[in-house]
Amino acid sequence: MIGKVIGAYVGDKIAKQTSVGIGGAGGAALGVIAATALRRLSLPAMIALGAGGYLAKRLTEKKAAQPQAPEVPAKPAKAAKKSRAKAA
């Protein structure tokens, strides 16, 4: 029982800090579900879940840190020749 209360409290606090759109009650429900799921997982499954989450976080941060190349709109070659001919 105390585990569900702690899970609900932690889930509520995490939901308020994220910008995913989950409210406090939704976060509390996810916290209870997460606490129940963690209780049923084996130790290797918990380690794999934690490592997978860490790798996913690292990949998203690495992708966000890469500079984005600005896109330059290209004109078709025929349109460029026509505009030069009209200008002359």
Side-chain angles (χ1 to χ4, degrees):
M1 179 68 185
I2 192 81
K4 289 183 181 182
V5 172
I6 292 171
Y9 178 75
V10 171
D12 177 48
K13 293 298 177 184
I14 291 173
K16 288 181 181 178
Q17 292 178 358
T18 60
S19 62
V20 179
I22 300 173
L30 286 176
V32 170
I33 292 169
T36 304
L38 285 175
R39 210 174 300 123
R40 300 201 184 271
L41 287 177
S42 64
L43 183 60
M46 283 186 211
I47 293 170
L49 186 64
Y54 177 71
L55 288 175
K57 177 183 174 271
R58 291 279 308 255
L59 287 174
T60 56
E61 287 176 351
K62 188 176 183 180
K63 193 176 226 182
Q66 291 178 349
Q68 299 291 329
E71 293 185 23
V72 179
K75 292 183 180 179
K78 291 181 181 179
K81 289 180 182 177
K82 287 181 183 178
S83 63
R84 289 183 194 164
K86 289 181 183 178

